[in-house]
């Protein structure tokens, strides 16, 4: 427990974090990686180069400071990050390294304003926050290892099949090298692929949504080929061009807080844009196989028919369910985009809504859902990469 004096000091730094948080986290990552380059084998280089990881950490630090007297308020965000950490095999021994460089970055950015009292208070607060993460992640690692078919960190898988789904998306079927059956997962969750690319100094880690209902034999991910000149392109281009049937990759146990509530009988509306279709495929497939009578709507937006994956499969699943609908818009072919009028016509009344796609797509869709009077409690959404703050209006 933190003393009231420590809580008061942390609270007093909230305005400073709001103004300088991104600068602090940018300095933090720079200094930490210079001192511990081995950590570049864990962190997503694309998110670093785009500033997304810095923004996400700044947001979390700010939220922790603002709620330091009620950390339960930020527990959902902590759990979401802990799932990412588990999928990357973050260990307790790495937390002191993070704490040292985070405090150092606060000192460097704030200068004389970072008094010994402020640094001391933040040192105490960090210990408390780190212990929460370590405790949650320890439990997650234990659960992952003890579940039927589970393991703790990474495990070798071979590419059993490689199927082109569209001009830009290819599916990879992954089977464990040891031949053991796979653990179940919640539709919508992801796995981490860890790949060594010839010529690259560091191992690359990327999270990919599982794109079909759970089976005991294989995982399926469906990967969009990004522009190889962009930070995100390195891994996806390597998978598309260089990885073939029989090749080996390392895979984590499924993780993630964005997933279908399989126990519920509520109607479901799935809304996706582009490659955001992948976790929705897992959800829709799971409904079709396990609760085909459950009302469901699948709404998708793609640039063109050539870019869309799974159209034939979606139509097949839709036909197999008596209370489902499937609608798709192709923006480059004159259909326009998913807008308020489209949502009003297709979202099932009272349904649990799941949204996944590029940030701009989600901003637009969620604003329109709010404008239609749908409460935020009914709307679940997932980002590509670290969670970001979205400016959303409720009217």
């Amino acid at each position: 427990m933190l003393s009231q004096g420590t809580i008061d000091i942390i609270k007093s730094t909230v305005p400073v974090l709001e103004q300088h948080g991104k600068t602090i986290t940018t300095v933090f990552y720079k200094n930490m990686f210079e001192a511990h380059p081995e950590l570049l084998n864990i962190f997503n280089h694309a998110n670093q180069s785009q500033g997304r990881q810095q923004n996400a950490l700044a947001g979390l630090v700010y939220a922790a400071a603002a709620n330091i007297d009620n950390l339960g308020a930020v527990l959902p965000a902590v759990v979401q990050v802990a799932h990412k950490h588990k999928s990357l095999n973050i260990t307790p021994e790495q937390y002191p390294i993070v704490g040292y460089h985070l405090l150092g970055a606060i000192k460097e950015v704030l200068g004389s304003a970072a008094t010994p009292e402020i640094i001391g208070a933040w040192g105490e607060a960090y210990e408390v926050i780190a212990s929460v993460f370590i405790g949650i992640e320890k439990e997650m690692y234990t659960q992952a290892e003890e579940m039927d078919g589970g393991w703790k960190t990474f495990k070798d898988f071979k590419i059993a099949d490689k199927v082109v789904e569209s001009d830009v998306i290819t599916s990879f079927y992954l089977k464990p090298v040891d031949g053991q059956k796979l653990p179940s997962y919640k539709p919508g969750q992801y796995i981490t692929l860890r790949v060594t690319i010839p010529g690259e100094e560091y191992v690359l880690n990327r999270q990919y949504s599982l794109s079909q209902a759970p089976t005991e034999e294989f995982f399926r991910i469906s990967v969009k080929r990004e522009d190889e000149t962009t930070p995100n392109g390195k891994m996806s281009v390597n998978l598309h061009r260089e990885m073939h049937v029989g090749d080996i990759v390392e895979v984590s146990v499924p993780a993630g807080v964005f997933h279908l509530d399989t126990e519920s009988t509520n109607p479901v509306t799935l809304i996706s844009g582009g490659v955001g279709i992948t976790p929705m495929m897992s959800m829709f497939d799971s409904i079709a196989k396990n609760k085909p009578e459950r009302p469901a709507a699948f709404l998708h937006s793609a640039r063109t028919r050539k870019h869309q994956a799974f159209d034939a499969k979606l139509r097949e699943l839709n036909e197999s369910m008596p209370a489902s609908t499937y609608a798709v818009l192709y923006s480059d072919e004159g259909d326009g985009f998913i807008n308020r009028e489209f949502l009003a016509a297709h979202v099932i009344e009272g349904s649990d809504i799941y949204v996944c796609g590029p940030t701009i797509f989600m901003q637009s869709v969620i604003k329109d859902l709010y404008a239609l009077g749908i409460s935020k409690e009914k709307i679940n959404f997932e980002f590509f990469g670290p969670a970001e703050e979205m400016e959303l209006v409720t009217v």
Side-chain angles (χ1 to χ4, degrees), residues 124-143:
E124 289 183 45
Y126 177 79
E127 290 296 324
V128 169
I129 295 168
S131 68
V132 172
F133 272 104
I134 290 170
I136 292 173
E137 289 160 17
K138 180 180 179 181
E139 184 175 350
M140 287 181 174
Y141 283 124
T142 299
Q143 290 174 346

Side-chain angles (χ1 to χ4, degrees), residues 318-351:
N318 185 54
E319 287 295 321
S320 73
M321 293 186 284
S324 71
T325 58
Y326 166 54
V328 58
L329 298 177
Y330 301 110
S331 59
D332 285 3
E333 297 179 18
D335 292 345
F337 299 91
I338 292 179
N339 57 25
R340 192 174 307 175
E341 291 71 27
F342 182 85
L343 293 169
H346 291 88
V347 170
I348 302 175
E349 184 176 357
S351 63

Side-chain angles (χ1 to χ4, degrees), residues 58 66 86 96 104 123 125 150 155 181 189 198 229 242 270 276 285 300 311:
K86 185 197 80 168
K155 180 174 177 176
K181 75 173 185 178
Q189 289 190 306
T229 65
E242 306 299 333
L270 309 175
D285 190 26
H300 183 62
D311 181 64

Side-chain angles (χ1 to χ4, degrees), residues 284 288 292-293 296 298 310-327:
F284 204 52
E293 72 286 350
F298 197 117
F310 307 117
D311 181 64
K313 182 62 176 178
L314 282 166
R315 295 183 186 280
E316 176 188 328
L317 293 173
N318 185 54
E319 287 295 321
S320 73
M321 293 186 284
S324 71
T325 58
Y326 166 54

Side-chain angles (χ1 to χ4, degrees), residues 21-22 25-26 28-29 43 47-48 50-64 77-78 80-81 84-85 133 383-389:
K22 173 68 180 299
T25 56
T26 300
F28 155 72
Y29 280 117
F43 285 83
N47 290 333
Q48 288 290 322
Q50 294 170 326
R52 298 176 70 186
Q53 196 74 56
Q54 295 88 332
N55 283 334
L57 179 59
L60 185 60
V61 171
Y62 173 84
V78 169
Q80 182 179 19
V81 173
K84 294 282 188 182
H85 286 179
F133 272 104
F383 292 94
F384 299 142
E388 305 168 35
E389 288 295 323

Side-chain angles (χ1 to χ4, degrees), residues 11-153:
K11 285 274 193 180
S12 74
T13 66
V14 169
V16 177
L17 292 173
E18 185 174 22
Q19 181 178 359
H20 299 290
K22 173 68 180 299
T23 304
I24 290 171
T25 56
T26 300
V27 170
F28 155 72
Y29 280 117
K30 175 180 176 293
N31 291 347
M32 184 175 69
F33 290 144
E34 286 178 354
H36 294 275
E38 73 277 5
L39 294 178
L40 288 167
N41 288 304
I42 298 174
F43 285 83
N44 185 313
H45 305 172
N47 290 333
Q48 288 290 322
S49 66
Q50 294 170 326
R52 298 176 70 186
Q53 196 74 56
Q54 295 88 332
N55 283 334
L57 179 59
L60 185 60
V61 171
Y62 173 84
N67 295 279
I68 194 65
D69 51 349
N70 179 28
L71 287 175
V74 297
L75 187 59
V78 169
V79 171
Q80 182 179 19
V81 173
H83 272 271
K84 294 282 188 182
H85 286 179
K86 185 197 80 168
S87 78
L88 293 167
N89 191 28
I90 299 297
T91 66
E93 293 75 20
Q94 290 161 343
Y95 277 92
I97 296 172
V98 171
Y100 175 83
H101 289 285
L102 183 59
L103 294 179
I106 293 173
K107 289 181 186 178
E108 182 174 336
V109 173
L110 300 186
S112 60
T115 64
E117 291 76 17
I118 286 176
I119 295 301
W122 263 106
E124 289 183 45
Y126 177 79
E127 290 296 324
V128 169
I129 295 168
S131 68
V132 172
F133 272 104
I134 290 170
I136 292 173
E137 289 160 17
K138 180 180 179 181
E139 184 175 350
M140 287 181 174
Y141 283 124
T142 299
Q143 290 174 346
E145 193 169 20
E146 293 181 351
M147 67 191 301
D148 192 18
W151 63 97
K152 186 175 180 180
T153 56

